[in-house]
């Protein structure tokens, strides 16, 4: 018999103290909990946790330390009609496990029913086959890591440039990274990758899910996988397949048990040393266990009714606001505790700098409707750790009333889906988009100013992981998702894309030139807009998914960033754009434009002008065919001080926008706006040619090509 002491109920999970390990598991429904220890040969030893306090089962095992693999078996009622799914035949992962060794090997034993059973939820026909051989195991870790003098860069939002990336896909094909490190945390920390990010002016990487996740059974059966990772099973464990030491990357079969935890920390440290923050895309709205017919991997067998939202009246079934089969029960204190403990762990122990919350509206559903004052947001607001990092909401879910762009609390920023849609519509020539385009360009005050939020509440993006990459946005009218094996039925049909004359690749030089110009238009709009720009990995070099707008299951060249033949001209354009934004605070103001005159020069902080150089009238704004304008940004009228309280002064700029299908002549406004101007940006030319364009005077006419954008800087 293995010696076991009473231990402590907190912290939850497995905690090594140098002489042994404390194990603690919450389950309100359990009648008995067995801790299951596994040796290198997979032989299992079971130990009853001897104590229960506040529904937390706990025990301390002397001599058990880092590297020990474990799981749980929970004894209790199996009564699906009451929402209870305990089945001690099923090994269960620890919700607080900090490392996972191995991967799920799909087998009927992972389910609490027989797959061919016509009545799968009949408690009399329970599947009692042992699932342990097919389930990965948790691992006790040594939490020590030499962080040295690591500190978060804490880049102000107004100076932030976000780069959304997938850990594996970003570096899997990178030729300068050692093969063993490609597609791993170590690959992302490689100097070649960090140099690329710094060249782009990136200040934060937003990593697609790195919590331990599991691909769906049905997807694996089709020969595919969940590449994106929005299917979490371990909220405190970094995904083990992104470690470079494990067997999935050529390491020894017994290696890589928790070395990937250290590798993740080393990645964060290296990015911080380069001044780059790490933001995690987190999925607290559902888990990998799916709907009522999903596998029993963890939460379902521990305490299904506490962790999941169940239907009123028939608790066999789960409420689903996520489209993934289940919704985490954010009304239950222990489910909320898990989320908050997880967030604090990633900040305090893993040193990350913020979070992007997938389908964040689901976290606000205490009853049915989305509630801004839900308990989750109250907890975040008062938390001294979590409230101090970057908090980004994906402000929608798939439930009724789930689209909540502009409605999150003041502490939060949001993926601005309206920005994406408006900018796409405007540049493809949609009718009557000019007024909304103006709102998006200036920080979306119509969405955020009403509750005292600032322009940085808007995370601006044109593309992201979900949908077409930039190259495909200008190359396809329709999705081409046949490789996903769902008959091209998956993925949205609302792409707001335009192929510019032919579907897919072309050798037509006129179409290619227009597509290239449109890519530059999108990127220029993104970096010149007030708010926080987010660039999708690979867009800077012309990455394509060949028309697939839902590559969630494509762990291959469809999704991976290709470094073999990058678009060097586009890369140079993005670098120049980023530098223009970095060097000029007028493009990244911390407060909204007021539209009023400024004392020093009598000019407004912003002015909207027609191509004739005259101030816009109501008729100009509401002319549905209008697709061009000039925007004057007054660098002398920045009202917010710098961090030391000093006044901020900048150059003044004119943005000339022509989304028409024909070249237009723009007349520069009168000398009160500026006597002389020079080109600072032109989407029809490469950066090296901008300064060669010469200078212009007040009243001069400038020819602006069809579907192009130019920026002029006022000369002092």
């Amino acid at each position: 018999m293995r010696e076991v002491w009473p231990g402590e109920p907190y912290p939850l999970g497995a905690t090594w103290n140098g002489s042994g390990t404390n194990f603690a598991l919450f389950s309100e429904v359990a009648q008995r909990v067995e801790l299951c220890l596994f040796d290198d040969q997979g032989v299992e030893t079971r130990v009853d946790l001897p104590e229960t306090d506040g529904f937390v089962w706990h025990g301390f095992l002397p001599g058990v330390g880092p590297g020990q693999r474990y799981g749980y078996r929970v004894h209790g009622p199996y009564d699906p009609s009451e929402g209870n799914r305990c089945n001690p035949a099923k090994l269960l992962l620890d919700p607080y496990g900090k490392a996972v060794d191995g991967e799920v090997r799909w087998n009927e034993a992972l389910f609490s029913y027989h797959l061919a059973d016509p009545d799968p939820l009949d408690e009399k026909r329970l599947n009692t086959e042992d699932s342990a051989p097919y389930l990965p195991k948790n691992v006790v870790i040594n939490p020590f890591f030499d962080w040295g003098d690591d500190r978060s860069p804490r880049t102000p939002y107004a100076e932030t440039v976000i780069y959304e990336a997938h850990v594996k896909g970003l570096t899997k094909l990178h030729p300068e990274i050692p093969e063993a490190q490609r597609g791993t945390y170590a690959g992302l920390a490689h100097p070649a990758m960090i140099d690329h990010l710094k060249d782009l002016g990136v200040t934060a990487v937003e990593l697609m899910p790195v919590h331990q996740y599991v691909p769906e059974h049905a997807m694996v059966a089709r020969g595919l996988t969940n590449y994106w990772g929005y299917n979490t099973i371990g909220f405190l464990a970094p995904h083990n397949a992104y470690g470079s030491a494990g067997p999935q990357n050529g390491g020894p079969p017994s290696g890589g048990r928790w070395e990937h935890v250290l590798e993740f920390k080393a990645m964060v440290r290296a990015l911080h040393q380069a001044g780059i923050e790490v933001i995690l895309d987190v999925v607290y709205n559902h888990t990998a266990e799916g709907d009522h017919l999903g596998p029993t991997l963890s939460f379902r067998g521990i305490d299904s009714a506490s962790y999941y939202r169940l239907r009123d009246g028939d608790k066999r079934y789960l409420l689903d606001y996520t489209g993934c089969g289940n919704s985490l029960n954010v009304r239950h204190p222990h489910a909320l505790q898990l989320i908050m403990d997880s967030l604090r762990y990633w900040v305090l122990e893993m040193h990350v700098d913020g979070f992007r919350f997938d389908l964040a509206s689901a976290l606000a559903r205490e009853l049915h409707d989305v509630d801004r004052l839900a308990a989750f947001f109250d907890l975040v607001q008062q938390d001294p750790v979590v409230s101090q990092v970057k908090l980004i909401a994906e402000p929608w879910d798939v439930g009724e009333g789930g689209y909540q762009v502009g409605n999150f609390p003041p502490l939060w920023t949001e993926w601005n889906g309206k920005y994406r849609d408006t900018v796409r519509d405007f540049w493809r020539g949609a009718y009557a988009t000019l007024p909304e385009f103006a709102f998006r360009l200036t920080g979306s005050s119509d969405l955020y100013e009403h509750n005292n939020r600032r322009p940085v509440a808007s995370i601006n993006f044109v593309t992201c992981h979900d949908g077409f990459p930039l190259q495909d946005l200008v190359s396809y009218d329709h999705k081409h998702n046949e490789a996903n094996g769902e008959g091209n039925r998956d993925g949205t049909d609302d792409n707001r894309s335009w192929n510019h004359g032919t579907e897919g690749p072309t050798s037509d030089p006129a179409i290619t030139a227009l597509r290239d110009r449109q890519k530059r238009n999108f990127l220029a709009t993104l970096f010149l807009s007030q708010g926080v720009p987010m660039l999708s990995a690979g867009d800077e070099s012309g990455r394509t998914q060949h028309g697939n707008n839902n590559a969630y299951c494509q762990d291959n060249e469809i999704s991976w960033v290709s470094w073999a033949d990058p678009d060097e001209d586009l890369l140079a354009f993005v670098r120049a754009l980023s530098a223009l934004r970095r060097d000029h605070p007028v493009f990244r103001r911390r407060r909204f434009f007021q539209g009023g005159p400024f004392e020093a020069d009598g000019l407004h902080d912003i002015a909207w002008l027609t191509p004739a150089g005259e101030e816009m009238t109501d008729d100009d704004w509401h002319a549905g065919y209008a697709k061009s304008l000039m925007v004057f940004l007054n660098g002398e009228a920045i009202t917010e001080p710098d961090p030391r309280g000093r006044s901020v002064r900048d150059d003044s700029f004119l943005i000339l926008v022509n989304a028409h299908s024909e070249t237009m002549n723009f007349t520069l406004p009168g000398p009160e706006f500026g006597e002389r101007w020079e080109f600072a940006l032109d989407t029809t030319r490469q950066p090296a040619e901008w300064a060669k364009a010469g200078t212009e005077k007040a009243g001069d006419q400038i020819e602006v090509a069809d579907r192009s954008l130019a920026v002029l800087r006022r000369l002092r």
Side-chain angles (χ1 to χ4, degrees):
M1 290 288 292
R2 180 179 286 272
E3 184 180 13
V4 56
W5 300 350
E8 300 291 339
Y10 190 84
L12 290 161
T15 307
W16 179 64
N17 69 0
S19 64
T21 302
N22 191 81
F23 294 89
L25 178 77
F26 161 77
S27 177
E28 191 170 337
V29 72
Q31 297 164 351
R32 176 186 166 208
V33 172
E34 290 180 300
L35 170 66
C36 307
L37 306 176
F38 294 85
D39 65 16
D40 290 343
Q41 286 71 46
V43 176
E44 178 181 357
T45 300
R46 301 185 187 184
V47 179
D48 276 43
L49 292 182
E51 298 289 332
T52 311
D53 289 289
F55 302 115
V56 175
W57 298 75
H58 55 91
F60 181 88
L61 274 66
V64 169
Q68 175 64 59
R69 298 189 300 161
Y70 74 97
Y72 292 105
R73 297 181 188 271
V74 173
H75 298 255
Y78 183 82
D79 185 359
S81 65
E82 292 298 319
N84 297 322
R85 303 288 194 92
C86 297
N87 182 354
K90 309 307 169 188
L91 186 71
L92 305 172
L93 289 170
D94 182 357
Y96 279 77
K98 298 178 180 66
V100 174
D101 179 44
E103 59 184 11
V104 168
R105 294 190 298 119
W106 286 108
N107 185 279
E108 185 176 72
L110 294 167
F111 298 81
S112 281
Y113 62 93
H114 298 282
L115 298 181
D117 198 320
D119 188 5
L121 298 185
D122 184 350
E123 61 270 20
K124 297 178 181 178
R125 295 200 285 270
L126 185 65
N127 181 345
T128 58
E129 186 177 353
D130 184 10
S131 67
Y134 311 102
L135 191 77
K137 312 301 186 288
N138 288 116
V139 184
V140 177
I141 71 165
N142 180 346
F144 176 76
F145 180 77
D146 185 6
W147 285 102
D149 58 356
D150 178 72
R151 297 183 66 183
S152 170
R154 288 198 170 273
T155 306
Y157 262 124
E159 300 172 16
T160 296
V161 175
I162 297 174
Y163 188 82
E164 188 202 25
H166 187 283
V167 170
K168 181 176 183 178
L170 183 61
T171 64
K172 183 63 178 175
L173 300 177
H174 202 298
E176 296 180 42
I177 296 175
E179 187 170 356
Q181 294 180 6
R182 294 176 191 171
T184 70
Y185 303 122
L188 183 51
H190 191 275
M193 195 66 251
I194 290 178
D195 288 346
H196 177 74
L197 296 172
K198 292 179 68 175
D199 284 347
L200 294 176
V202 168
T203 69
V205 289
E206 183 178 300
L207 300 179
M208 292 172 65
V210 298
H211 289 173
Q212 188 70 39
Y213 65 84
V214 173
E216 294 87 339
H217 181 214
M219 195 179 300
V220 173
R222 298 203 312 268
L224 300 169
T225 189
N226 190 321
Y227 167 71
W228 284 354
Y230 291 92
N231 214 37
T232 305
I233 198 62
F235 292 108
L236 282 80
H239 191 58
N240 56 18
Y242 299 154
S244 60
Q248 70 279 355
N249 288 311
S254 61
R257 286 190 180 174
W258 56 277
E259 288 87 343
H260 59 283
V261 179
L262 303 179
E263 189 174 320
F264 180 93
K265 293 179 178 180
M267 175 197 73
V268 173
R269 184 179 60 190
L271 289 166
H272 282 180
Q273 288 172 349
I276 299 172
E277 295 180 306
V278 178
I279 299 171
L280 302 187
D281 193 339
V282 290
V283 188
Y284 294 112
N285 54 75
H286 75 282
T287 81
E289 290 184 305
D291 64 11
H292 63 289
L293 296 180
T296 298
L297 308 175
S298 178
F299 309 91
R300 174 169 281 131
I302 293 169
D303 192 337
S304 183
S306 292
Y307 280 116
Y308 293 124
R309 292 287 299 272
L310 307 179
R311 289 189 190 176
D312 294 333
D314 193 344
K315 295 181 180 179
R316 293 178 300 172
Y317 302 100
L318 290 78
L319 289 174
D320 181 12
Y321 296 116
T322 66
C324 301
N326 65 63
S327 300
L328 209 64
N329 186 8
V330 292
R331 300 183 300 179
H332 194 282
H334 275 278
L336 283 171
Q337 181 186 4
L338 171 62
I339 296 173
M340 296 305 298
D341 286 348
S342 169
L343 292 170
R344 278 190 294 270
Y345 176 79
W346 287 96
V347 174
L348 296 175
E349 296 295 328
M350 309 297 264
H351 286 209
V352 305
D353 306 283
F355 305 95
R356 179 266 190 188
F357 292 79
D358 177 66
L359 300 180
S361 292
L363 300 173
R365 293 183 183 272
E366 288 207 337
L367 295 175
H368 173 73
D369 294 335
V370 175
D371 179 7
R372 274 188 57 197
L373 303 177
F376 170 69
F377 298 105
D378 294 341
L379 289 172
V380 169
Q381 181 74 35
Q382 60 78 44
D383 191 277
V385 173
V386 180
S387 65
Q388 299 306 302
V389 300
K390 287 183 167 69
L391 302 171
I392 305 171
E394 183 185 33
W396 51 78
D397 63 18
V398 301
E400 181 181 356
Y403 192 78
Q404 293 291 319
V405 173
N407 292 329
F408 274 70
L411 188 66
W412 290 69
T413 62
E414 302 176 15
W415 267 28
N416 191 343
K418 290 187 178 181
Y419 180 95
R420 171 200 59 204
D421 296 345
T422 299
V423 172
R424 289 186 180 192
D425 279 345
F426 179 78
W427 282 113
R428 69 190 178 110
Y431 188 79
T433 55
L434 193 62
E436 189 164 2
F437 178 78
F439 272 122
R440 305 301 154 243
L441 187 69
T442 54
S444 297
S445 60
D446 58 327
L447 300 177
Y448 302 114
E449 194 171 24
H450 68 280
N451 60 358
N452 202 34
R453 297 165 82 185
R454 300 289 177 84
V456 294
S458 179
I459 305 297
N460 300 327
F461 66 104
V462 177
T463 62
C464 63
H465 70 274
D466 191 0
F468 285 144
L470 186 60
Q471 179 65 42
D472 293 0
L473 185 66
V474 301
S475 303
Y476 295 90
D477 280 355
H478 309 287
K479 66 187 181 185
H480 298 270
N481 298 353
E482 290 79 9
N484 295 355
E486 300 178 43
N488 205 34
R489 294 184 299 273
D490 64 302
T492 184
D493 292 310
D494 183 22
N495 296 292
R496 305 182 191 222
S497 58
W498 180 28
N499 65 22
H500 297 86
T502 189
E503 191 77 351
T506 181
S507 57
D508 187 318
I511 293 177
T512 298
L514 181 54
R515 287 177 177 177
D516 288 346
R517 192 155 72 248
Q518 287 282 60
K519 287 187 290 184
R520 294 192 289 268
N521 290 335
F522 282 124
L523 290 165
T525 304
L526 178 66
F527 278 86
L528 297 176
S529 295
Q530 305 298 321
V532 181
M534 185 183 79
L535 183 66
S536 184
D539 277 356
E540 73 275 14
S541 57
R543 186 179 80 87
T544 178
Q545 292 178 174
H546 309 291
N548 192 320
N549 75 347
N550 190 34
Y552 74 105
C553 56
Q554 299 296 332
D555 187 4
N556 50 48
E557 287 84 353
I558 291 176
S559 294
W560 302 340
V561 174
S562 174
W563 301 89
D565 187 23
D567 186 336
E568 295 291 351
D569 288 341
L570 190 60
L571 273 168
F573 185 82
V574 175
R575 293 185 190 113
L577 263 178
S578 183
L580 181 65
R581 180 184 179 88
R582 181 193 63 231
D583 294 342
H584 293 286
V586 75
F587 296 118
R588 45 181 176 81
R589 291 179 52 137
R590 292 188 289 110
R591 297 175 183 167
F592 287 110
F593 293 103
Q594 297 303 305
F598 185 64
E599 295 177 2
D601 58 14
L603 293 173
H604 293 193
D605 55 359
I606 186 170
W608 302 95
L609 308 170
T610 68
E614 301 171 349
E615 296 220 24
M616 299 272 286
T617 66
D618 286 346
D619 288 343
D620 294 323
W621 281 115
H622 294 102
Y625 57 82
K627 299 171 187 172
S628 60
L629 82 166
M630 282 191 289
V631 189
F632 171 73
L633 302 181
N634 189 350
E636 299 290 333
I638 299 175
T639 56
E640 56 268 25
D642 72 8
R644 295 187 177 183
R646 298 171 299 193
S647 296
V648 176
R649 295 293 178 264
D650 192 11
D651 295 327
S652 295
F653 291 86
L654 271 176
I655 304 175
L656 285 59
V657 180
N658 180 19
H660 282 284
S661 58
E662 57 189 27
T663 296
M664 294 188 65
N665 288 323
F666 282 63
T667 301
L668 296 184
E672 67 272 19
F673 288 93
E675 293 280 358
R676 295 171 57 244
W677 302 84
E678 68 175 0
F679 277 88
L681 183 151
D682 185 348
T683 60
T684 67
R685 304 179 181 133
Q686 287 305 307
E689 301 172 343
W690 296 343
K692 300 176 183 178
T695 60
E696 308 289 343
K697 301 187 301 295
D700 282 356
Q701 282 198 343
I702 296 179
E703 190 176 86
V704 179
D706 60 294
R707 295 192 174 88
S708 72
L709 181 152
V711 176
L712 302 181
R713 184 176 69 89
R714 186 171 69 185
L715 296 173
R716 297 185 182 276

